[in-house]
């Protein structure tokens, strides 16, 4: 079947569905997107549910492949490192990588609107208010609810890009004789708390950083927006002594923030109002298999592999899915059976790896970023990386700034490196002697002794 | 709310749903069952999909509590042990427990029909051809498809007893903000192969045993039926060198059985026909949480915890669920919020444990039962058990013959005991010296040193 006659449907006009449609349209396919919600570009902002996104190298690489990276980066703000806020009011800055390496804060809503615009500009049709109801896998027909009607659309190829709670995945799962599936939650939920801009749109916190208030069992983060505001997000236990279930009165919220986030209180005048108005959302990980059916169906992005946001890789992983598909299209031409088979084969281990890395990074962000020993460890690693950029790449940099390293390799490498660093950091006097050849040699020797992934 | 006015609905008239209805009806509740399928008692036998069940002490205890154990045991055949068939045609018998301990082969269909009869005799109403479509959790209404109609039934309390692929669980899951869910399959599927009776209904294999043809990567088992037939089941890899995907011709099936199950060939004259007529089914494990909603909903049986059949505990675990509920009703009276809370609290760890035990036992059955060293280990354990029945109970007996030991305890104990036995079996000369005080003392000492669960 030639590409021009191949009819591709995508469920979900989110970040990945929209980008995927551009890739496929460029190759000459007939591409339509069916989106459950209305057109967000025409609707009022639904506040209180966004985590800002951190667009980084894997995502940018994918955007660049279809020539839209520069346009997208215009609505992003570079963040060069973590700005740590301690309970005593003191600050610390941890660069994410080397000079010139940074991640980019971008609003989910603005980015999504931009990608829809670009998709439509390419000639992709987006049908809103069409919710996937079911799929007839034999007849290759997508069944959608549109208002009170049920409409049916035939397809040659269907992509399920409808997110962590994918209805397309459910239709796939319920008809599959051996579908492996797993969904689990971390013990924390999240709540958006917006920090307004100062006078004339000034930033009330350092603009080019990701702000973290690490408090061991919980944390607050804040990412900058173009208008001078910051999108703050409180990650907080659902239950237990210090938890959402305990903060039920205005007074308890006021007291809690005054004690644990004193420097945040003056930044959010309507803190208590936001706290009770904005919903508390949960954070799910989804692992499943298979993602595909023959040559006519694949899950992609969060629908295939939803992860928690703590490595800033959810969107980037979904964009990288598109990039990998693109590569396979180059390699196998029109052989979609082979393309989808290889797509799953390549991406499944990487998706599993970034899911685990993301959960692990939650621990690191909320607990370890407050620990002086951890800050020192990061400094040691950065220094060794500077001296031997090819031999030692800190785990964060592998995931964030090294698209050539697969997530699954990055996970293996990071486990190995962490074991080495744990030993090195136990050395007596390491606080004074860390910038020495002896320490550096020990680290590099550790690498040689082990098997690098 | 008094029991007589409390309206309890159960989805699924399977083994657990039917038994549960009897328990609840006895306590004065108004109980109705809604079953997706037609009334199996009025329909022709759908062959080729049954694994015979092994009713054992946990299940019998539950049946006894409502006074129907003796009636049920009338349609069961005692199996005193495993009858092992080696590839060279030699046999071995491994008793399951001590003298007088046995499990009971029973046809799923006959048992289910009997339990439905008993439920109706109690006054339970069973509505057939009613498939759970959705549940309105706020209004407490069950939505069912009946033919082309959708009917709605209010409930005070709903039990989802509709099996491994529970539609009630799905309705629960899709509306729950933090539902943990996992389903996974073993690499083997199964296929029923029926062994006919001899002349005048004689048994062509030893009647009072569970027959196993262990072949490492796969196995055949056979359980006796009252009419002299045996229900055989081939557990066999889906894919790979020796697998269902390879046996695609009559000739390949004939050749395969001639080579690996020569003694079975004369027992099944229409082997090839059955092989291609009977479906290949898969084996799922389901773990999920929470099972309950407040005081008005609980999952029970396979719907809450589907397991693979290799410990013969699927039905027994479901019946034990009823038994535990019964105990909690005795303790908490009408306080269903507390009853359901404690039900989940108590049963979830046990359900997880039997799921793991069942997967482990697959390895034991297909691979280790053919190993002389393993047979010796079982003999040693049986002997120590005989001498010290309270100190050393073989894992199989804990699970099968000891309802007073929780599954979660049995799992912990079995891991500990297996570690001890692994050491003991490595002792030089163990083959000759196993029945000695030295060996026995070493085993018992191993127990004392560790922490028993």
């Amino acid at each position: 079947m030639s590409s021009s006659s191949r009819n591709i449907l995508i469920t979900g006009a989110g970040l990945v569905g929209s980008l995927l449609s551009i890739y496929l349209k460029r190759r000459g396919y007939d591409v339509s997107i069916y989106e459950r919600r209305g057109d967000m570009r025409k609707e009022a902002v639904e506040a209180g549910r966004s985590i800002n996104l951190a667009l980084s190298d894997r995502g940018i690489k994918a955007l660049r492949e279809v020539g839209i990276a520069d346009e997208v980066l215009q609505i992003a703000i570079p963040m060069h490192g973590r700005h740590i806020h301690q309970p005593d009011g003191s600050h610390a800055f941890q660069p994410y990588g080397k000079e010139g390496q940074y991640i980019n804060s971008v609003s989910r809503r603005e980015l999504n609107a931009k990608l829809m615009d670009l998709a439509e500009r390419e000639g992709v049709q987006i049908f809103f208010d069409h919710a996937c109801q079911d799929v007839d896998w034999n007849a290759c027909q997508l069944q959608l609810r549109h208002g009170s009607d049920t409409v049916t659309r035939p397809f040659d190829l269907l992509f399920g890009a409808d997110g962590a709670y994918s209805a397309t995945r459910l239709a796939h799962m319920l008809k599959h004789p051996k579908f492996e599936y797993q969904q689990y939650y971390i013990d924390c939920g999240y709540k958006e708390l917006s920090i307004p801009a100062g006078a004339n749109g000034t930033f009330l916190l350092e603009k080019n950083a990701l702000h973290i208030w690490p408090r061991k069992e919980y944390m607050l983060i804040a990412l900058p927006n173009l208008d001078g505001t910051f999108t703050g997000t409180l990650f907080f236990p659902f239950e237990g002594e210090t938890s959402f279930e305990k903060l039920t009165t205005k007074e308890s919220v006021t007291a809690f923030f005054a004690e644990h986030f004193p420097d945040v209180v003056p930044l959010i005048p309507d803190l208590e109002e936001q706290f009770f108005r904005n919903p508390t959302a949960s954070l799910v990980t989804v692992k499943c298999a298979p993602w595909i059916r023959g040559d006519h169906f694949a899950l992609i992005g969060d629908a295939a592999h939803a992860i928690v946001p703590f490595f800033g890789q959810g969107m980037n992983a979904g964009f990288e899915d598109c990039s990998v598909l693109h590569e396979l299209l180059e390699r196998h031409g029109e052989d979609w059976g082979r393309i989808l088979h290889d797509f799953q084969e390549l991406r499944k281990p990487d998706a599993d790896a970034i899911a685990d890395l993301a959960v692990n990074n939650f621990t690191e962000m909320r607990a370890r970023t407050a620990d002086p020993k951890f800050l020192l460890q990061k400094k040691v690693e950065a220094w060794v990386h500077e001296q031997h950029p090819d031999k030692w790449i800190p785990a964060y940099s592998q995931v964030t700034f090294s698209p050539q390293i697969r997530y699954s390799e990055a996970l293996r490498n990071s486990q190995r490196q962490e074991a080495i660093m744990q030993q090195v950091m136990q050395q007596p006097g390491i606080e004074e002697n860390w910038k020495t050849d002896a320490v550096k040699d020990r680290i590099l020797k550790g690498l040689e002794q082990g098997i690098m992934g």
Side-chain angles (χ1 to χ4, degrees), chain A:
Chain A
M1 186 173 283
S2 76
S3 59
S4 57
S5 69
R6 204 176 183 95
N7 164 31
I8 303 184
L9 303 189
I10 299 172
T11 50
L15 301 166
V16 174
S18 299
L19 177 61
L20 176 65
S21 75
I22 298 173
Y23 269 97
L24 295 171
K25 190 72 193 174
R26 288 277 172 89
R27 300 194 73 93
Y29 292 105
D30 186 8
V31 186
S32 304
I33 305 182
Y34 288 88
E35 164 61 40
R36 183 170 63 85
R37 296 194 181 87
D39 189 345
M40 51 143 68
R41 295 167 298 183
K42 297 174 185 163
E43 292 171 0
V45 181
E46 179 206 7
R49 288 209 79 120
S50 75
I51 303 179
N52 264 39
L53 301 165
L55 177 62
S56 57
D57 288 25
R58 291 173 200 267
I60 294 170
K61 174 172 178 282
L63 294 173
R64 217 171 277 299
E65 282 166 4
V66 283
I68 60 173
D70 293 335
E71 200 161 345
V72 166
L73 286 170
Q74 281 171 13
I75 57 166
I77 296 175
M79 299 183 291
H80 296 280
R82 296 166 170 166
H83 192 109
I84 309 293
H85 301 255
Q86 304 289 13
D88 63 6
S90 67
H91 296 229
F93 181 76
Q94 302 169 12
Y96 276 129
K98 292 181 295 192
E99 189 72 36
Q101 287 184 326
Y102 53 84
I103 62 178
N104 303 277
S105 172
V106 60
S107 134
R108 171 185 289 271
R109 186 187 167 82
E110 280 182 59
L111 178 55
N112 206 341
K114 163 85 58 183
L115 288 171
M116 286 181 186
D117 287 346
L118 293 170
E120 287 179 342
R121 198 174 73 190
E122 294 290 329
V124 173
Q125 275 212 288
I126 309 179
F127 298 92
F128 294 97
D129 298 307
H130 279 76
C132 168
Q133 251 191 333
D134 205 352
V135 179
D136 182 331
W137 298 106
N138 296 319
C140 283
Q141 293 197 319
L142 174 62
Q143 215 181 82
L144 302 138
R145 175 161 306 221
H146 179 54
S148 56
D149 297 338
T150 296
V151 297
T152 297
R153 295 285 174 265
F155 58 83
D156 296 313
L157 175 56
L158 172 68
F159 282 97
D162 47 349
Y165 294 98
S166 169
T168 322
R169 184 183 66 220
L170 186 63
H172 169 51
M173 171 171 172
L174 293 176
K175 300 281 168 58
H176 199 285
K178 271 165 57 193
F179 191 67
E180 307 266 334
Y181 184 77
Q182 203 178 0
Q183 66 178 39
Y184 50 89
Y185 292 81
I186 56 167
D187 56 1
C188 279
Y190 71 92
K191 189 183 282 289
E192 186 188 312
L193 297 170
S194 179
I195 300 174
N200 305 316
T202 52
F203 291 84
L204 295 182
L205 294 165
E206 158 62 34
K207 176 185 177 187
N208 293 112
L210 191 154
H211 295 265
I212 310 182
W213 290 258
R215 298 294 183 268
K216 290 223 165 127
E217 296 307 314
Y218 52 93
M219 68 174 172
L220 178 69
I221 67 167
L223 283 79
N225 295 309
L226 291 172
D227 60 2
T229 63
F230 284 83
T231 302
T233 311
L234 177 68
F235 296 95
F236 203 57
F238 283 108
E239 291 165 13
E241 216 167 308
T242 307
S243 71
F244 281 119
E245 75 168 1
K246 289 290 157 62
L247 295 185
T248 52
T249 63
K250 190 172 172 308
E251 291 67 35
S252 61
V253 171
T254 308
F256 175 77
F257 275 80
E259 183 178 350
H260 299 286
F261 303 109
D263 52 340
V264 175
V265 173
L267 297 174
I268 313 183
D270 60 343
L271 172 67
E272 293 81 1
E273 200 188 308
Q274 284 196 47
F275 192 92
F276 292 110
R277 188 185 60 217
N278 293 343
T280 303
S282 57
L283 292 163
V284 72
T285 300
V286 174
K287 293 180 179 175
C288 66
W291 294 351
I292 60 168
R293 283 179 183 248
D295 63 352
H296 57 278
F297 175 66
L299 293 167
I300 192 165
D302 282 2
H305 47 72
I307 64 176
V308 295
F310 304 105
F311 228 119
Q313 288 294 316
M315 167 184 63
N316 290 292
F319 284 3
E320 197 175 52
D321 284 349
C322 299
S323 188
V324 168
L325 255 186
H326 173 70
E327 217 180 290
L328 293 169
L329 272 156
E330 293 286 326
R331 201 183 303 165
H332 300 315
E334 293 283 302
D335 187 350
W336 276 100
R338 222 164 136 195
I339 291 165
L340 298 185
H341 171 271
D342 285 8
F343 173 68
Q344 168 168 279
E345 205 76 359
L346 273 168
R347 288 303 279 173
K348 174 66 177 156
D350 288 338
D352 287 345
I354 190 61
D356 297 343
L357 281 160
V359 169
N360 296 345
N361 217 42
F362 181 41
T363 317
E364 180 164 323
M365 283 179 83
R366 71 175 167 175
R368 298 186 69 202
T369 53
D371 174 6
K373 198 110 186 186
F374 176 74
L375 301 190
L376 176 62
Q377 180 183 327
K378 293 285 141 178
K379 270 208 280 193
V380 176
E381 289 193 61
W383 175 65
V384 177
H385 178 45
E386 216 176 275
Q387 311 253 312
H388 300 275
D390 296 332
K391 285 194 184 157
W392 187 278
I393 308 173
Y396 186 87
S397 296
Q398 293 188 39
V399 170
T400 309
F401 302 124
S402 314
Q404 75 282 8
I405 300 176
R406 294 177 56 177
Y407 286 134
S408 49
E409 290 173 63
L411 176 60
R412 279 195 300 275
N413 295 345
S414 75
Q415 287 164 340
R416 172 100 195 99
Q417 293 182 190
E418 186 58 28
I420 294 168
M421 291 308 299
Q422 287 290 325
Q423 286 191 336
V424 168
M425 296 305 292
Q426 274 165 28
Q427 228 170 270
I430 184 73
E431 285 82 358
E432 292 77 40
N433 307 322
W434 64 270
K435 219 171 185 172
T436 59
D437 283 348
V439 167
K440 192 180 70 186
D441 290 349
R442 195 168 160 194
I443 290 173
L444 295 177
K445 208 155 172 194
L447 274 188
E448 282 159 27
Q449 285 165 350
I451 300 144
M452 282 291 282

